[in-house]
Amino acid sequence: MLLYRGGRCAYTTTLLLWTSLSLCSATYVQKNTTTTPGYTLLPGVSSVPAPIIVAPDQGFLGIDGAWNTFSLRVGSQQSIANVFPSTASQQIWVVNRDACVGQYEDTSINKTVIGFDQKCKGSRGYLFNTTESSTWDEQGFYGLWVGGTYGLSGNGYYGYDAVGLGIPGEEGPTVDNTTIGTLKNSNFWLGQLGLHPKPTNFSADLLSTPPVPSYMTRLFEQGNIPSLSFGYTAGVQYHDTLFLGSLTLGGYDSSRYISNNVSFVFSPDNERDLVVGLAGLTANTTTRSDINLLPAGTDDVTLLIDTTVAELWLPLAICEAFEKAFGLTYDNTTKLYLVDDLLHQTLLAQDPSVTFSLRQAHTTDQTVQITLPYAAFDLEAQHPYRGLNETTRYFPLRRGDNKTQWALGKTFLQEAYIKVDWERSRFNVYQCDWTYGKPTNVVSIVSPIYAEVATAITKTGESHTGVIVGIAVGCVFIVIFIATAIAAYLWRRRCNAIAAKYAADAAEAEAARKASPTDRDEPLSSPVSEKVPNVFPKAELPGQSNVHWHEMGTDDKEKGSIEVMEVDNTERPVYEMLGDIPAPQEAAGRQLSEKETMLVREKNINGVDTNARTQATSTIARPAPVASLDDIAMVNTRLPSNGVSPVTPRAPRNGAHLEAGDTLFQLPPYRAQRDGRSVDDLLSPISPLDAPSSTDSSRRRFSYES
Ligand SMILES: *[C@@H]1O[C@H](CO)[C@@H](O)[C@H](O)[C@H]1NC(C)=O
Ligand SMILES: *[C@@H]1O[C@H](CO)[C@@H](O)[C@H](O)[C@H]1NC(C)=O
Ligand SMILES: *[C@@H]1O[C@H](CO)[C@@H](O)[C@H](O)[C@H]1NC(C)=O
Ligand SMILES: *[C@@H]1O[C@H](CO)[C@@H](O)[C@H](O)[C@H]1NC(C)=O
Ligand SMILES: *[C@@H]1O[C@H](CO)[C@@H](O)[C@H](O)[C@H]1NC(C)=O
Ligand SMILES: *[C@@H]1O[C@H](CO)[C@@H](O)[C@H](O)[C@H]1NC(C)=O
Ligand SMILES: *[C@@H]1O[C@H](CO)[C@@H](O)[C@H](O)[C@H]1NC(C)=O
Ligand SMILES: *[C@@H]1O[C@H](CO)[C@@H](O)[C@H](O)[C@H]1NC(C)=O
Ligand SMILES: *[C@@H]1O[C@H](CO)[C@@H](O)[C@H](O)[C@H]1NC(C)=O
């Protein structure tokens, strides 16, 4: 008995151990789905990967507000990194362990010490020590590029390594050997999860260093997600209940937003493709309503949805309208709208809510309204953000010098949900739905390599059941045909017989018809297909400047060495480039290369798919209106060619220039900026007001922003 018990205990212990071990080492199991509402799977495709719901962390981080993070597992040691999703970046960024080594204030002894700052670690979403990863494949230092338009800069220490979604125990898929930029000294406080599918171009010489596929592309090629697409909202803390962020890859969660019928088409510049036009901007307070914040003359405002930044970057005229409406004051030192206690009390009392009316850029189409309550603007910035010395309330509004800087950052995504289909070059913006306890409803967006959008007219979904159905349909068709022929014959005879009577009646009927307002002459086509499409692709012209100069380092040896960070528009339009490449093989059941993926995208965007031609000419003679991504499922629309692929790799976008080395940036990690000017002071054109003094040293180059 005792023995038995002992054995049982041992058995139980073993079982427990085994269970916990297997839980710890649980690997991701790819799930496929056959439920693809709105899409008809292509022949030979029986199922597609299910969308990935990336579980949000429980915490909020950031020095420019508090933003919900998502966890990654990085390197062979599976270091956790809490990061923000970036709609503009295509790379994974994590904070390098070196970023927290340096000079810092030890509050327990009130002394400045040099070493590893433990507090920094948590604040920056945990750190990645590249030397601890056996799979780290170093590439070196490259400019971060993303965020450069906002004056955010710095170098990343780049390499290839494994990046998995989720924390150990709740693992999502892992991509091995993918591009990682580790942040040491940069304007970015936390890392990010780049959601853009464009490849990283490490060198201008594409032959020796081919473009490296993005994280999203690798997930898709590995068969982890049904398409290059995502749905995202940032999450908020200020509602009665906490709403964590929601990030779905390869689909979206329709429970998180209020549906609308407005759809947007990418602008052709792949640095700025998620662009919306600002049709209106109003505010209501407790005492006033419909305050116009869009002054006359600012009627061509286009805004990039870019979660790389926290704030709303708006034209000066709009910022001034905000200042006037809410009594905000601009702080020349930090370039922030700092909010003191008095103003904060006033704003709380006024409780302004700001409504953005958005539409496809450069059109007069339908608009979608996104309203942000004051709570969404009630943010706190902390040292070392923009040189602040202490935690300060601020209103997340920034003055954008020109349209390359106008953007809607994370602040906006607190109240908005964005859904992007990179492959079909479309996106939607919705007002978030704050109904508590709504069950999640994840819907797939399915790639054109797996499925075609189901048309409302032909229920092709039913035709897969086999020959019998085909025969049945054929029989029905023949029966209908014969019946119609007989009916027509009889009708004709009858017509002949009563021709005289008909002629007399016809005049009377015509008169009656004209009298009825509901019965006017109508065109033969359905009213739906006659409607003007809600979406209208119009080129947003790239900035006038083709060459961006970026000066790094003011060491003597570096002086005068000005590096070309980007040369725009020097390559031929992509459709020409792609024209030389043979059409890809049937993709089902096989992984696509980056090039092939681009081709697939191209053919879907430009409608050059040879397979699709025949179908296109018959069913898509006229572009049908497309309202939302859901509606794409109903109208197999192809976008007109804009000649530019959204995945166009451009000249050294990611900083093709190897920096001289880490030595240039051996600064104390984040005290360095206390009294310094931020890098955007140095990079922006020198205005008399902002002219940096000539005594600025390179130590002042890096402030920290997120
Ligand atoms: C999931 O779907 C993809 C695409 O159809 C297919 O290649 C893969 O084999 C499927 N996986 C499973 C486990 O069914
Ligand atoms: C990174 O890990 C290596 C090996 O464990 C260690 O020697 C090094 O000190 C670590 N780096 C930092 C900055 O802690
Ligand atoms: C550190 O300084 C603060 C205020 O400056 C003081 O309240 C605190 O007692 C000091 N701590 C130590 C350990 O000296
Ligand atoms: C990792 O990826 C890079 C870039 O795509 C490639 O050049 C390299 O060969 C890959 N390494 C391994 C081990 O697959
Ligand atoms: C979207 O359009 C459909 C059909 O035109 C209509 O039934 C529906 O009410 C519209 N939805 C919204 C939110 O406007
Ligand atoms: C603002 O107030 C006006 C008038 O009361 C109302 O029509 C409008 O819907 C309000 N807007 C918001 C965003 O609440
Ligand atoms: C900020 O700069 C502007 C423009 O130079 C100037 O008019 C204003 O007085 C400055 N404000 C403060 C608080 O220094
Ligand atoms: C922070 O403190 C330094 C030194 O005391 C000062 O020069 C700087 O202006 C302060 N920064 C801000 C934003 O007040
Ligand atoms: C837009 O403003 C930024 C920042 O001031 C500047 O660097 C850039 O050159 C400007 N671009 C154009 C086209 O004026």
Side-chain angles (χ1 to χ4, degrees):
M1 192 65 184
L2 209 70
L3 197 75
Y4 172 73
R5 279 195 169 183
R8 200 167 127 160
C9 179
Y11 173 76
T12 316
T13 315
T14 316
L15 193 76
L16 275 174
L17 248 173
W18 183 80
T19 316
S20 56
L21 274 178
S22 64
L23 265 180
C24 289
S25 64
T27 44
Y28 178 70
V29 180
Q30 176 59 38
K31 283 192 215 80
N32 271 25
T33 180
T34 50
T35 320
T36 57
Y39 298 90
T40 308
L41 299 185
L42 297 176
V45 180
S46 54
S47 67
V48 293
I52 297 170
I53 306 162
V54 187
D57 297 326
Q58 297 299 308
F60 287 64
L61 291 176
I63 52 170
D64 49 8
W67 314 105
N68 197 196
T69 54
F70 294 83
S71 284
L72 302 177
R73 291 168 288 116
V74 191
S76 63
Q77 75 273 37
Q78 307 231 342
S79 294
I80 299 293
N82 297 336
V83 298
F84 302 135
S86 167
T87 53
S89 171
Q90 75 278 31
Q91 297 166 350
I92 302 290
W93 291 357
V94 296
V95 182
N96 194 296
R97 201 180 151 85
D98 288 347
C100 290
V101 177
Q103 190 184 329
Y104 69 97
E105 200 109 344
D106 189 336
T107 45
S108 63
I109 51 172
N110 281 353
K111 254 195 188 155
T112 300
V113 293
I114 292 174
F116 179 75
D117 183 359
Q118 282 290 344
K119 273 203 314 198
C120 162
K121 178 178 161 183
S123 155
R124 300 195 68 167
Y126 301 107
L127 309 169
F128 178 47
N129 184 345
T130 54
T131 56
E132 276 175 5
S133 176
S134 60
T135 43
W136 174 256
D137 178 6
E138 176 192 293
Q139 298 301 302
F141 286 86
Y142 289 84
L144 290 172
W145 183 261
V146 171
T149 45
Y150 314 105
L152 304 175
S153 70
N155 290 344
Y157 171 59
Y158 277 84
Y160 304 127
D161 209 336
V163 176
L165 297 169
I167 55 174
E170 291 172 33
E171 285 150 330
T174 300
V175 175
D176 289 327
N177 192 40
T178 191
T179 307
I180 303 177
T182 72
L183 309 174
K184 291 192 179 186
N185 286 288
S186 74
N187 291 132
F188 295 90
W189 192 244
L190 272 99
Q192 56 191 31
L193 164 56
L195 297 172
H196 205 291
K198 66 193 169 192
T200 293
N201 212 0
F202 276 103
S203 153
D205 181 8
L206 278 185
L207 282 177
S208 61
T209 32
V212 182
S214 67
Y215 190 72
M216 282 292 279
T217 304
R218 291 284 305 280
L219 277 180
F220 178 61
E221 287 176 356
Q222 289 185 173
N224 294 130
I225 48 176
S227 64
L228 292 167
S229 61
F230 72 89
Y232 174 59
T233 184
V236 299
Q237 302 184 92
Y238 52 75
H239 283 292
D240 292 345
T241 42
L242 177 76
F243 279 88
L244 293 174
S246 167
L247 176 63
T248 308
L249 306 181
Y252 53 93
D253 181 355
S254 71
S255 71
R256 291 299 295 264
Y257 62 80
I258 297 161
S259 194
N260 66 55
N261 280 342
V262 183
S263 170
F264 299 89
V265 175
F266 289 0
S267 90
D269 177 3
N270 82 351
E271 291 290 329
R272 283 177 68 83
D273 35 24
L274 305 179
V275 164
V276 294
L278 186 62
L281 188 57
T282 57
N284 280 0
T285 68
T286 46
T287 50
R288 291 173 293 166
S289 65
D290 285 326
I291 307 164
N292 183 26
L293 296 170
L294 189 64
T298 48
D299 50 358
D300 190 24
V301 180
T302 54
L303 302 164
L304 174 69
I305 297 178
D306 184 354
T307 60
T308 309
V309 288
E311 301 102 335
L312 310 175
W313 285 72
L314 298 173
L316 179 61
I318 296 179
C319 291
E320 283 170 349
F322 271 88
E323 291 169 24
K324 226 172 98 192
F326 306 129
L328 303 175
T329 48
Y330 189 64
D331 181 65
N332 284 350
T333 318
T334 57
K335 297 188 173 178
L336 296 175
Y337 286 96
L338 298 178
V339 174
D340 60 21
D341 283 343
L342 182 63
L343 180 57
H344 188 236
Q345 291 309 320
T346 314
L347 286 170
L348 284 178
Q350 284 185 346
D351 194 21
S353 59
V354 177
T355 300
F356 289 78
S357 288
L358 307 175
R359 65 179 172 217
Q360 178 73 36
H362 311 293
T363 68
T364 53
D365 285 330
Q366 267 178 280
T367 59
V368 54
Q369 268 73 42
I370 310 288
T371 299
L372 278 70
Y374 173 60
F377 296 104
D378 192 3
L379 301 183
E380 272 183 354
Q382 300 170 26
H383 169 79
Y385 188 62
R386 302 219 42 84
L388 286 171
N389 293 324
E390 52 205 20
T391 302
T392 312
R393 280 203 182 85
Y394 84 115
F395 195 94
L397 186 65
R398 296 292 295 273
R399 291 178 176 176
D401 288 341
N402 53 50
K403 69 164 61 180
T404 64
Q405 287 193 325
W406 299 343
L408 299 172
K410 289 192 273 274
T411 296
F412 180 75
L413 267 292
Q414 292 178 112
E415 291 288 327
Y417 189 96
I418 184 170
K419 179 161 112 188
V420 178
D421 184 344
W422 297 113
E423 293 178 75
R424 294 180 183 86
S425 301
R426 287 179 182 278
F427 67 104
N428 292 72
V429 181
Y430 304 100
Q431 178 87 55
C432 282
D433 184 345
W434 301 120
T435 314
Y436 181 67
K438 237 176 132 181
T440 58
N441 181 28
V442 172
V443 184
S444 307
I445 296 175
V446 186
S447 166
I449 71 162
Y450 293 135
E452 59 185 25
V453 283
T455 52
I457 314 116
T458 53
K459 287 233 161 59
T460 46
E462 313 296 332
S463 68
H464 285 296
T465 36
V467 183
I468 296 168
V469 172
I471 291 171
V473 168
C475 288
V476 168
F477 185 77
I478 290 167
V479 167
I480 290 172
F481 180 79
I482 292 171
T484 314
I486 292 170
Y489 173 71
L490 291 177
W491 178 248
R492 214 182 150 86
R493 265 181 51 157
R494 189 178 142 85
C495 281
N496 288 341
I498 60 170
K501 186 171 185 296
Y502 178 79
D505 290 350
E508 199 183 322
E510 182 71 5
R513 204 162 67 94
K514 288 237 165 90
S516 160
T518 56
D519 229 344
R520 293 231 173 79
D521 290 4
E522 276 184 8
L524 284 171
S525 51
S526 82
V528 174
S529 59
E530 282 297 278
K531 264 201 304 203
V532 181
N534 284 336
V535 287
F536 183 72
K538 161 113 187 217
E540 201 209 16
L541 295 173
Q544 293 105 314
S545 170
N546 285 341
V547 183
H548 295 232
W549 299 94
H550 189 164
E551 192 179 352
M552 301 298 294
T554 50
D555 282 4
D556 280 343
K557 66 171 170 134
E558 283 293 307
K559 219 163 231 160
S561 123
I562 292 172
E563 294 168 343
V564 183
M565 296 300 281
E566 185 205 37
V567 183
D568 269 340
N569 302 331
T570 49
E571 84 265 47
R572 288 182 297 160
V574 164
Y575 60 87
E576 288 176 23
M577 189 173 88
L578 292 169
D580 303 333
I581 301 168
Q585 302 293 305
E586 189 50 58
R590 193 173 66 78
Q591 291 186 357
L592 289 176
S593 74
E594 182 78 4
K595 240 179 210 158
E596 287 167 343
T597 311
M598 282 168 65
L599 268 172
V600 171
R601 292 195 58 180
E602 199 61 23
K603 88 184 172 198
N604 285 290
I605 293 158
N606 295 335
V608 294
D609 180 12
T610 43
N611 298 332
R613 268 258 155 88
T614 44
Q615 187 201 347
T617 45
S618 55
T619 62
I620 323 174
R622 177 180 12 217
V626 174
S628 65
L629 280 181
D630 318 71
D631 296 349
I632 289 178
M634 312 303 285
V635 287
N636 194 359
T637 308
R638 284 173 199 284
L639 299 177
S641 165
N642 55 27
V644 179
S645 160
V647 285
T648 315
R650 289 238 181 90
R653 73 167 65 261
N654 297 303
H657 290 272
L658 193 62
E659 287 305 327
D662 202 17
T663 49
L664 256 182
F665 307 102
Q666 289 291 346
L667 309 174
Y670 63 94
R671 292 278 145 179
Q673 193 45 39
R674 280 222 145 175
D675 55 347
R677 282 176 168 274
S678 67
V679 75
D680 60 353
D681 295 319
L682 297 165
L683 292 179
S684 52
I686 295 169
S687 78
L689 309 165
D690 293 335
S693 77
S694 54
T695 57
D696 271 331
S697 72
S698 64
R699 291 178 62 81
R700 291 178 164 186
R701 297 200 153 255
F702 294 91
S703 70
Y704 293 92
E705 293 201 19
S706 129

